[in-house]
Amino acid sequence: MNTALTPSQVSLPPASGAWREGDPPGHRQWHERERPLRLEAGGELPGLRIAFETWGRLAPDRSNAVLVLHALTGDSHVAGTAGPGHPTPGWWDGLVGAGRALDTDRWFVVAPNVLGGCQGSTGPSSPRPDGGAWGGGFPFLTQRDQVAAEADLADALGIDRWALTVGGSMGGMRALEWAVSYPERTNALLLLATTAAASAEQIALADIQSHAIRSDPHWHSGHYHGTGDAPHAGLGLARRLAHVTYRSEAELQVRFGRSAQGTEDPWSGGRYTVGSYLDHHAAKLVRRFDAGSYVVLSEAMNSHDIGRGRGGVRAALNRVTARTLVAGVDSDRLYPSFQQAELAAGISTADDLRLIESPHGHDGFLIEVDQVAALVDELVPGSDGLLP
């Protein structure tokens, strides 16, 4: 199984895989916020923009809007093909579209690129007001800051209340934050493979990834944009570690075992097939993502604690009024199902915990589209496409 990209097969990646002005816009739209956004950690972000994509048509009474929130290295391109402006196909393409669970003949689906990201929204690769990229000077963000920016987008679209808010992993953190910060604006809630607060182990794993990036000699304290250098090695190491946590041990054993990569000899500097697999995913990410965004978003995930300043997790979950389903992935070792069980037990409007059956680990919420579609259908039934 030859999955690796070798230097002879590809050109040197750009210093950043971020979307830049002058790149094809693809299907993106933008919302500009000209006034400062006050940040939870202090200070403010002086103006920002959020890139987003939409599918379907907003109903005259604005009752059919669905918010889809992406995970760490996702973006606004939930559905559709790869092409100019979109380096990869939609990451939930099987879920969004005519006749699918999020039927665009019924729903108006909105997917923003998260604040701090790198695919059109303001982040470290974006220009500062005084010129040049933010780089290492980009402020610390929390999930609450990111949701506040998304609420501003909803205001601009004229959406007072989401019929459904759905997200997995980091997207699930923001979906939960929506339901706690803005319960009156969240009608139904689908939380997938996420948690009420980042655990010590989750923080540790993300911290190692951030250290890998910051230890790259081309990091330049985050100010590498425009230098001609790039922390590709550090970002690649971060992706390798992360990807192992996204999949299950059983899947890796079945797919790769101890086999060598092609004719390579691991005892003489060659690779095992599983190492080649990780090389492949590292090479892909450095061509479509920005190392600075990876650090900023990882730190925002580590800050996630729905109970912070709210009297603890239990009190915060009591704020949720949305009809809720919570699902975990049975083979997830990064966000184990006991964390979703805590959410289901703590949200008074939630049904019993659901489990997505998958050999793929944490990534199961992205891969097992049919099972996720069944959860959507369960949560928002009705032939008219509106909540009963």
Coordinates of all heavy atoms in Angstrom, one line a residue, residues 351-383:
D351 N -31.9 12.8 25.2 CA -32.3 11.4 25.2 C -31.1 10.6 25.7 O -30.1 11.1 25.9 CB -32.8 11.0 23.9 CG -33.8 9.8 24.0 OD1 -33.8 9.1 25.0 OD2 -34.6 9.6 23.0
D352 N -31.3 9.3 25.7 CA -30.2 8.4 26.1 C -29.0 8.5 25.2 O -29.2 8.8 24.0 CB -30.7 7.0 26.2 CG -31.7 6.7 27.3 OD1 -31.7 7.5 28.3 OD2 -32.5 5.8 27.2
L353 N -27.9 8.3 25.7 CA -26.7 8.3 24.8 C -26.8 7.3 23.7 O -27.2 6.2 23.8 CB -25.4 7.9 25.6 CG -24.1 7.8 24.9 CD1 -23.7 9.2 24.3 CD2 -23.0 7.2 25.8
R354 N -26.4 7.8 22.5 CA -26.3 6.9 21.3 C -24.9 6.6 21.0 O -24.0 7.4 21.3 CB -26.9 7.6 20.1 CG -28.3 8.1 20.2 CD -29.3 6.9 20.5 NE -30.7 7.4 20.2 CZ -31.5 7.9 21.2 NH1 -31.1 8.0 22.4 NH2 -32.7 8.2 20.9
L355 N -24.6 5.4 20.5 CA -23.3 5.0 20.1 C -23.2 4.7 18.6 O -24.0 3.9 18.1 CB -22.8 3.8 20.9 CG -22.3 4.1 22.3 CD1 -21.8 2.7 23.0 CD2 -21.1 5.0 22.3
I356 N -22.3 5.4 18.0 CA -22.0 5.1 16.5 C -21.0 3.9 16.5 O -20.0 3.9 17.1 CB -21.4 6.3 15.9 CG1 -22.4 7.5 15.8 CG2 -20.9 6.0 14.5 CD1 -21.8 8.8 15.4
E357 N -21.4 2.8 15.8 CA -20.6 1.7 15.7 C -19.6 1.8 14.6 O -20.0 2.0 13.4 CB -21.4 0.4 15.5 CG -22.3 0.1 16.7 CD -23.2 -1.1 16.5 OE1 -23.0 -1.8 15.4 OE2 -24.0 -1.5 17.4
S358 N -18.3 1.8 14.9 CA -17.3 2.0 13.9 C -16.0 1.4 14.3 O -15.6 1.6 15.5 CB -17.1 3.5 13.6 OG -16.1 3.8 12.7
P359 N -15.2 0.9 13.4 CA -13.8 0.4 13.7 C -12.8 1.6 13.6 O -11.7 1.4 13.9 CB -13.5 -0.6 12.7 CG -14.3 -0.2 11.5 CD -15.6 0.4 12.0
H360 N -13.3 2.8 13.2 CA -12.4 3.8 12.8 C -12.0 4.8 13.9 O -11.3 5.8 13.6 CB -13.0 4.6 11.6 CG -13.3 3.8 10.4 ND1 -12.3 3.1 9.7 CD2 -14.4 3.5 9.8 CE1 -12.8 2.4 8.7 NE2 -14.1 2.6 8.8
G361 N -12.4 4.6 15.1 CA -12.1 5.5 16.2 C -12.8 6.8 16.1 O -13.9 6.9 15.6
H362 N -12.1 7.9 16.6 CA -12.7 9.2 16.7 C -13.2 9.7 15.3 O -14.3 10.3 15.2 CB -11.7 10.2 17.2 CG -12.2 11.6 17.4 ND1 -13.2 11.9 18.3 CD2 -11.8 12.8 16.8 CE1 -13.4 13.2 18.3 NE2 -12.6 13.7 17.4
D363 N -12.5 9.3 14.2 CA -13.0 9.8 12.9 C -14.3 9.1 12.5 O -14.8 9.4 11.4 CB -11.9 9.4 11.9 CG -10.8 10.5 11.8 OD1 -11.0 11.6 12.4 OD2 -9.8 10.3 11.1
G364 N -14.8 8.2 13.3 CA -16.0 7.5 12.9 C -17.2 8.5 12.7 O -18.1 8.2 11.9
F365 N -17.2 9.6 13.4 CA -18.3 10.6 13.3 C -18.3 11.2 11.9 O -19.3 11.7 11.4 CB -18.3 11.6 14.4 CG -17.4 12.8 14.2 CD1 -17.8 13.9 13.6 CD2 -16.1 12.7 14.6 CE1 -17.0 15.0 13.4 CE2 -15.2 13.8 14.5 CZ -15.7 15.0 13.8
L366 N -17.1 11.2 11.2 CA -17.0 11.7 9.9 C -17.3 10.6 8.8 O -17.8 10.9 7.8 CB -15.6 12.3 9.6 CG -15.3 13.5 10.5 CD1 -13.8 13.8 10.3 CD2 -16.1 14.7 10.1
I367 N -16.9 9.4 9.2 CA -16.9 8.3 8.2 C -18.3 7.6 8.2 O -18.8 7.3 7.1 CB -15.8 7.3 8.6 CG1 -14.4 8.0 8.4 CG2 -15.9 6.0 7.7 CD1 -13.3 7.1 8.9
E368 N -18.9 7.4 9.3 CA -20.1 6.6 9.4 C -21.3 7.6 9.1 O -22.2 7.8 9.9 CB -20.3 6.0 10.8 CG -19.1 5.1 11.2 CD -18.8 3.9 10.3 OE1 -19.7 3.6 9.5 OE2 -17.7 3.3 10.4
V369 N -21.4 8.1 7.9 CA -22.4 9.1 7.5 C -23.8 8.5 7.7 O -24.7 9.3 8.1 CB -22.1 9.6 6.1 CG1 -23.2 10.6 5.7 CG2 -20.8 10.3 6.0
D370 N -24.0 7.3 7.3 CA -25.4 6.7 7.4 C -25.9 6.7 8.8 O -27.1 7.0 9.1 CB -25.4 5.3 6.8 CG -25.3 5.3 5.3 OD1 -25.4 6.3 4.7 OD2 -25.0 4.2 4.8
Q371 N -25.0 6.4 9.8 CA -25.4 6.4 11.2 C -25.7 7.8 11.7 O -26.6 8.1 12.5 CB -24.4 5.7 12.1 CG -24.2 4.2 11.8 CD -23.3 3.5 12.7 OE1 -23.5 3.5 13.9 NE2 -22.2 3.0 12.1
V372 N -24.8 8.8 11.3 CA -25.1 10.2 11.6 C -26.4 10.7 11.0 O -27.2 11.4 11.7 CB -23.9 11.1 11.2 CG1 -24.2 12.5 11.5 CG2 -22.6 10.6 12.0
A373 N -26.6 10.3 9.8 CA -27.9 10.7 9.1 C -29.1 10.2 9.8 O -30.1 10.9 10.0 CB -27.9 10.2 7.7
A374 N -29.0 9.0 10.4 CA -30.1 8.4 11.2 C -30.4 9.2 12.4 O -31.5 9.4 12.8 CB -29.8 7.0 11.5
L375 N -29.3 9.7 13.0 CA -29.5 10.6 14.2 C -30.1 11.9 13.8 O -31.0 12.4 14.6 CB -28.1 10.8 14.9 CG -27.4 9.6 15.5 CD1 -26.0 10.0 15.9 CD2 -28.2 9.1 16.6
V376 N -29.7 12.5 12.7 CA -30.4 13.7 12.2 C -31.9 13.5 12.0 O -32.7 14.3 12.4 CB -29.7 14.2 11.0 CG1 -30.5 15.4 10.4 CG2 -28.3 14.7 11.2
D377 N -32.2 12.4 11.3 CA -33.6 12.0 11.1 C -34.4 11.8 12.4 O -35.6 12.2 12.4 CB -33.7 10.8 10.2 CG -33.2 11.0 8.8 OD1 -33.1 12.2 8.3 OD2 -32.9 10.0 8.1
E378 N -33.7 11.3 13.4 CA -34.4 11.0 14.6 C -34.7 12.4 15.3 O -35.7 12.6 16.0 CB -33.6 10.1 15.5 CG -34.2 9.8 16.9 CD -33.3 8.9 17.7 OE1 -32.2 8.5 17.3 OE2 -33.7 8.7 18.9
L379 N -33.7 13.3 15.2 CA -33.8 14.5 16.0 C -34.7 15.5 15.3 O -35.4 16.3 16.0 CB -32.4 15.1 16.1 CG -32.3 16.4 17.0 CD1 -32.8 16.1 18.5 CD2 -30.8 16.8 17.1
V380 N -34.8 15.6 14.0 CA -35.6 16.5 13.3 C -36.5 15.8 12.3 O -36.3 15.9 11.1 CB -34.7 17.6 12.6 CG1 -34.1 18.6 13.6 CG2 -33.6 17.0 11.7
P381 N -37.5 15.1 12.8 CA -38.4 14.4 11.9 C -39.4 15.3 11.3 O -39.5 16.5 11.7 CB -39.0 13.3 12.8 CG -39.1 14.0 14.1 CD -37.8 14.9 14.2
G382 N -40.2 14.7 10.4 CA -41.3 15.5 9.8 C -41.1 15.8 8.4 O -40.1 16.2 7.9
S383 N -42.1 15.4 7.6 CA -42.0 15.5 6.1 C -41.9 17.0 5.6 O -41.5 17.2 4.5 CB -43.2 14.8 5.4 OG -44.4 15.4 5.9

